[in-house]
Amino acid sequence: MKLSRCPVCHSNLHLDALVNDGAASELLALIAPLDGGLGRALVAYIGLFRPAKSDLSFSRALKLANETLVLSNNRDWLRVALSQTVASLRAARTSGQPRPLTNHNYLKKVLSSIDEQAVVAPASPAKGKPTLEIKSTGHVETKAESQAKWEAQMAKLRPGKAMAPKEAS
């Protein structure tokens, strides 16, 4: 069954050919249940392994996808790391370094450098307006701690004046 045409080379894309190829079928089954942000980031990342003068085989793409998904159990961290890696390497490629990736070492470095506060959940399509939610598993600051920090900061900024905190309405 013909699906559509490739936007790059304009060749026909056949669903039955993808399903009949074992590695292609497994790759589709692996990517399909992923949330949209992670799925897109993973596909873009795998594309960085494609050699300049040939295509990436489905079996190699499947192996890369499996290796990538086991790098982190936290899908939000992985999504952010993949996005940062793709953006960084695409920028490097436009400046004259078109070499394909050969391993996951760069992604591992990006994963280890990500701060948990920097990981935000993707916007929920059901809400209408895109929102950002900061994921944190750390300490939740109490009102008293927040008050003490505010007073300490005000004392630094205005050393001779005592200021009363503004009440939240």
Side-chain angles (χ1 to χ4, degrees), residues 51-88:
K53 295 184 178 184
S54 64
D55 293 333
L56 189 64
S57 70
F58 284 121
S59 58
R60 175 82 170 127
L62 176 63
K63 180 181 180 215
L64 291 168
N66 283 320
E67 291 172 352
T68 303
L69 290 174
V70 299
L71 291 177
S72 175
N73 291 331
N74 188 327
R75 299 297 191 189
D76 290 332
W77 280 33
L78 188 58
R79 176 184 45 81
V80 170
L82 287 169
S83 298
Q84 288 179 4
T85 300
V86 168
S88 175

Side-chain angles (χ1 to χ4, degrees), residues 108-125:
K108 290 176 186 176
K109 286 181 187 176
V110 173
L111 263 172
S112 66
S113 71
I114 292 178
D115 180 21
E116 70 183 53
Q117 296 275 334
V119 177
V120 293
S124 172

Side-chain angles (χ1 to χ4, degrees), residues 97-148:
Q97 298 173 346
R99 293 175 294 150
L101 288 178
T102 57
N103 57 45
H104 301 286
N105 290 341
Y106 187 84
L107 177 61
K108 290 176 186 176
K109 286 181 187 176
V110 173
L111 263 172
S112 66
S113 71
I114 292 178
D115 180 21
E116 70 183 53
Q117 296 275 334
V119 177
V120 293
S124 172
K127 292 183 181 177
K129 290 183 181 178
T131 59
L132 295 178
E133 177 184 336
I134 296 177
K135 300 275 186 176
S136 175
T137 58
H139 172 71
V140 178
E141 190 174 273
T142 65
K143 188 173 181 180
E145 290 171 330
S146 179
Q147 176 76 22

Side-chain angles (χ1 to χ4, degrees), residues 5-33:
R5 290 191 177 271
C6 172
V8 177
C9 67
H10 303 290
S11 64
N12 292 321
L13 180 61
H14 295 270
L15 182 60
D16 52 341
L18 291 175
V19 173
N20 287 330
D21 182 289
S25 181
E26 285 184 54
L27 184 62
L28 288 173
L30 180 71
I31 293 173

Side-chain angles (χ1 to χ4, degrees), residues 44-56:
Y45 174 71
I46 291 170
L48 296 174
F49 286 84
R50 187 179 69 79
K53 295 184 178 184
S54 64
D55 293 333
L56 189 64

